[in-house]
Amino acid sequence: MPTPDYRLSQLETLEAESIHVLREVVAELERPVLLFSGGKDSIVMLELARKAFAPARIPFPVMHVDTGLNFPEVLEFRDKRVAELGVQLIVASVPDAIAAGTVKEEPNGSRNRIQTPVLLDAVEEHGFTALFGGARRDEDKARAKERMFSFRDEFGQWDPKNQRPEIWDLYNGRIHLGESIRVFPLSNWTELDIWQYILREEIAIPALYLAQQRDVVERQGMLYAVNEFIRPRDGEQVRRETVRYRTVGDANLTAAVLSEATTVEEVIAEIAVTRMTERGATRGDDKVSDAAMEDRKKEGYF
């Protein structure tokens, strides 16, 4: 008789860790919510939440901080997936906040910074004590500093020098009134892990993640697909390229990459040899400064 092999694969280990974190939050904290945008990381996180509590329903709502500049295909996917799982969707609207005068749009067209007060207002309104985010440590230097349980003070702010130890994967969720915890179940995953899990679990994704021919313009060395938010400027040449998206943030600031990958398997083959993170390759709003992400996180960004 062969000796049974009880060792877990890389994906099985990551899955088990994430599911443990999801269950731990529900056990420790009173009112969690999962941030769900319809992007690949939040799609995987929602699938892990489904697995963590099956056959019961997911025991918390999902929330999207909607900038009003999203890809329509992603919003359509978001609504479809939420309906399939029967979970409550809360939309915190940046356009509504702009119309009400509580935030002011920046001249550069980015709404990332003004997402923060909209997020914090929604947290206060609904009394959320824990927010699941799909951030991974391999994405950005600031995110590499995060604990799995990221403590936020009563103003929703993050101090990277004032975080709790997580020795032996023990998580401290104790908070006072007004404080909260941001929780990142995908912290130890990489972009490659995400795609391999999508392949293994046969998880549906928006078509934007797969290559197809699109009209694009080049800005700052990046290719932006022409859409309702991206129009050619004077002197810009529109050309037809086969591209896909590695991340799907705001449509006016998220670039595509040249690619021939029309299947998840082909996407995995491309990512396996790339040496630049998806944010570095495609997010125009992160080129403001090297500390752009960390500055936003300190203000309360997820």
Side-chain angles (χ1 to χ4, degrees), residues 2-22:
T3 302
D5 187 354
Y6 297 106
R7 290 174 297 181
L8 299 179
S9 69
Q10 167 77 355
L11 283 184
E12 289 170 335
T13 301
L14 290 170
E15 179 187 61
E17 178 186 56
S18 299
I19 287 176
H20 167 68
V21 169
L22 287 157

Short mmCIF file of all heavy atoms in Angstrom, two decimals, residues 2-22:
data_model
loop_
_atom_site.label_atom_id
_atom_site.label_comp_id
_atom_site.label_asym_id
_atom_site.label_seq_id
_atom_site.Cartn_x
_atom_site.Cartn_y
_atom_site.Cartn_z
N PRO A 2 0.65 2.19 -0.93
CA PRO A 2 1.45 3.43 -0.92
C PRO A 2 1.09 4.29 0.29
O PRO A 2 -0.04 4.26 0.79
CB PRO A 2 1.03 4.10 -2.23
CG PRO A 2 -0.34 3.56 -2.52
CD PRO A 2 -0.32 2.14 -2.03
N THR A 3 2.07 5.03 0.78
CA THR A 3 1.83 5.92 1.92
C THR A 3 1.01 7.13 1.47
O THR A 3 1.38 7.79 0.49
CB THR A 3 3.17 6.43 2.51
OG1 THR A 3 3.94 5.29 2.88
CG2 THR A 3 2.93 7.33 3.71
N PRO A 4 -0.13 7.42 2.14
CA PRO A 4 -0.95 8.58 1.73
C PRO A 4 -0.14 9.87 1.84
O PRO A 4 0.65 10.04 2.77
CB PRO A 4 -2.11 8.55 2.73
CG PRO A 4 -2.13 7.16 3.27
CD PRO A 4 -0.72 6.69 3.26
N ASP A 5 -0.35 10.77 0.91
CA ASP A 5 0.32 12.07 0.91
C ASP A 5 -0.69 13.13 1.34
O ASP A 5 -1.62 13.45 0.60
CB ASP A 5 0.86 12.38 -0.49
CG ASP A 5 1.72 13.64 -0.49
OD1 ASP A 5 1.78 14.31 0.54
OD2 ASP A 5 2.31 13.94 -1.54
N TYR A 6 -0.50 13.67 2.55
CA TYR A 6 -1.43 14.65 3.08
C TYR A 6 -0.94 16.08 2.89
O TYR A 6 -1.53 17.02 3.43
CB TYR A 6 -1.68 14.38 4.57
CG TYR A 6 -2.33 13.04 4.84
CD1 TYR A 6 -1.61 11.99 5.38
CD2 TYR A 6 -3.68 12.84 4.54
CE1 TYR A 6 -2.21 10.75 5.62
CE2 TYR A 6 -4.28 11.62 4.78
CZ TYR A 6 -3.55 10.58 5.33
OH TYR A 6 -4.15 9.37 5.56
N ARG A 7 0.14 16.24 2.16
CA ARG A 7 0.66 17.59 1.93
C ARG A 7 -0.28 18.38 1.03
O ARG A 7 -0.86 17.85 0.09
CB ARG A 7 2.06 17.52 1.31
CG ARG A 7 3.13 17.00 2.25
CD ARG A 7 4.46 16.82 1.52
NE ARG A 7 4.36 15.82 0.45
CZ ARG A 7 5.37 15.47 -0.32
NH1 ARG A 7 6.55 16.05 -0.18
NH2 ARG A 7 5.20 14.55 -1.26
N LEU A 8 -0.40 19.69 1.34
CA LEU A 8 -1.25 20.56 0.54
C LEU A 8 -0.43 21.25 -0.54
O LEU A 8 0.74 21.56 -0.35
CB LEU A 8 -1.89 21.63 1.43
CG LEU A 8 -2.81 21.16 2.55
CD1 LEU A 8 -3.34 22.35 3.33
CD2 LEU A 8 -3.97 20.33 2.01
N SER A 9 -1.05 21.49 -1.67
CA SER A 9 -0.40 22.25 -2.72
C SER A 9 -0.36 23.73 -2.31
O SER A 9 -0.98 24.14 -1.32
CB SER A 9 -1.18 22.09 -4.03
OG SER A 9 -2.44 22.75 -3.93
N GLN A 10 0.36 24.53 -3.11
CA GLN A 10 0.42 25.97 -2.85
C GLN A 10 -0.97 26.59 -2.82
O GLN A 10 -1.31 27.35 -1.90
CB GLN A 10 1.28 26.64 -3.93
CG GLN A 10 1.20 28.16 -3.99
CD GLN A 10 2.00 28.85 -2.91
OE1 GLN A 10 2.56 28.20 -2.03
NE2 GLN A 10 2.06 30.17 -2.98
N LEU A 11 -1.80 26.29 -3.81
CA LEU A 11 -3.15 26.86 -3.87
C LEU A 11 -4.01 26.37 -2.72
O LEU A 11 -4.80 27.13 -2.15
CB LEU A 11 -3.82 26.53 -5.20
CG LEU A 11 -3.38 27.33 -6.43
CD1 LEU A 11 -4.23 26.94 -7.64
CD2 LEU A 11 -3.48 28.83 -6.18
N GLU A 12 -3.89 25.10 -2.36
CA GLU A 12 -4.68 24.56 -1.24
C GLU A 12 -4.28 25.23 0.07
O GLU A 12 -5.14 25.50 0.92
CB GLU A 12 -4.50 23.05 -1.16
CG GLU A 12 -5.17 22.29 -2.29
CD GLU A 12 -4.77 20.82 -2.33
OE1 GLU A 12 -3.67 20.48 -1.84
OE2 GLU A 12 -5.55 20.01 -2.86
N THR A 13 -3.00 25.49 0.25
CA THR A 13 -2.53 26.16 1.46
C THR A 13 -3.07 27.58 1.53
O THR A 13 -3.56 28.03 2.59
CB THR A 13 -0.99 26.19 1.50
OG1 THR A 13 -0.49 24.85 1.45
CG2 THR A 13 -0.48 26.88 2.75
N LEU A 14 -2.99 28.31 0.42
CA LEU A 14 -3.50 29.69 0.39
C LEU A 14 -5.01 29.72 0.61
O LEU A 14 -5.53 30.57 1.35
CB LEU A 14 -3.16 30.34 -0.95
CG LEU A 14 -1.68 30.65 -1.19
CD1 LEU A 14 -1.45 31.05 -2.65
CD2 LEU A 14 -1.19 31.74 -0.25
N GLU A 15 -5.71 28.80 -0.01
CA GLU A 15 -7.17 28.73 0.15
C GLU A 15 -7.54 28.47 1.60
O GLU A 15 -8.43 29.14 2.16
CB GLU A 15 -7.73 27.62 -0.75
CG GLU A 15 -9.24 27.44 -0.63
CD GLU A 15 -9.72 26.22 -1.40
OE1 GLU A 15 -9.28 25.09 -1.04
OE2 GLU A 15 -10.53 26.39 -2.32
N ALA A 16 -6.86 27.52 2.23
CA ALA A 16 -7.16 27.19 3.63
C ALA A 16 -6.89 28.39 4.55
O ALA A 16 -7.68 28.66 5.47
CB ALA A 16 -6.32 25.99 4.07
N GLU A 17 -5.78 29.11 4.30
CA GLU A 17 -5.47 30.28 5.11
C GLU A 17 -6.55 31.35 4.97
O GLU A 17 -7.02 31.93 5.96
CB GLU A 17 -4.12 30.85 4.70
CG GLU A 17 -3.73 32.12 5.46
CD GLU A 17 -2.45 32.73 4.93
OE1 GLU A 17 -2.39 33.02 3.71
OE2 GLU A 17 -1.52 32.94 5.73
N SER A 18 -6.95 31.62 3.73
CA SER A 18 -7.96 32.66 3.49
C SER A 18 -9.30 32.31 4.10
O SER A 18 -9.97 33.16 4.69
CB SER A 18 -8.11 32.89 1.98
OG SER A 18 -6.91 33.34 1.41
N ILE A 19 -9.70 31.06 3.98
CA ILE A 19 -10.97 30.62 4.56
C ILE A 19 -10.93 30.72 6.08
O ILE A 19 -11.90 31.14 6.73
CB ILE A 19 -11.31 29.19 4.09
CG1 ILE A 19 -11.75 29.23 2.62
CG2 ILE A 19 -12.39 28.55 4.96
CD1 ILE A 19 -12.01 27.87 2.00
N HIS A 20 -9.78 30.37 6.67
CA HIS A 20 -9.62 30.51 8.13
C HIS A 20 -9.79 31.96 8.54
O HIS A 20 -10.47 32.26 9.54
CB HIS A 20 -8.25 30.00 8.55
CG HIS A 20 -7.86 30.38 9.94
ND1 HIS A 20 -8.50 29.88 11.07
CD2 HIS A 20 -6.90 31.23 10.41
CE1 HIS A 20 -7.96 30.40 12.15
NE2 HIS A 20 -6.99 31.23 11.78
N VAL A 21 -9.19 32.88 7.79
CA VAL A 21 -9.28 34.31 8.12
C VAL A 21 -10.73 34.80 8.01
O VAL A 21 -11.22 35.53 8.88
CB VAL A 21 -8.34 35.13 7.20
CG1 VAL A 21 -8.63 36.62 7.33
CG2 VAL A 21 -6.90 34.84 7.54
N LEU A 22 -11.42 34.41 6.96
CA LEU A 22 -12.82 34.80 6.78
C LEU A 22 -13.68 34.33 7.95
O LEU A 22 -14.49 35.09 8.50
CB LEU A 22 -13.36 34.23 5.47
CG LEU A 22 -12.86 34.90 4.19
CD1 LEU A 22 -12.98 33.95 3.00
CD2 LEU A 22 -13.64 36.16 3.91
#
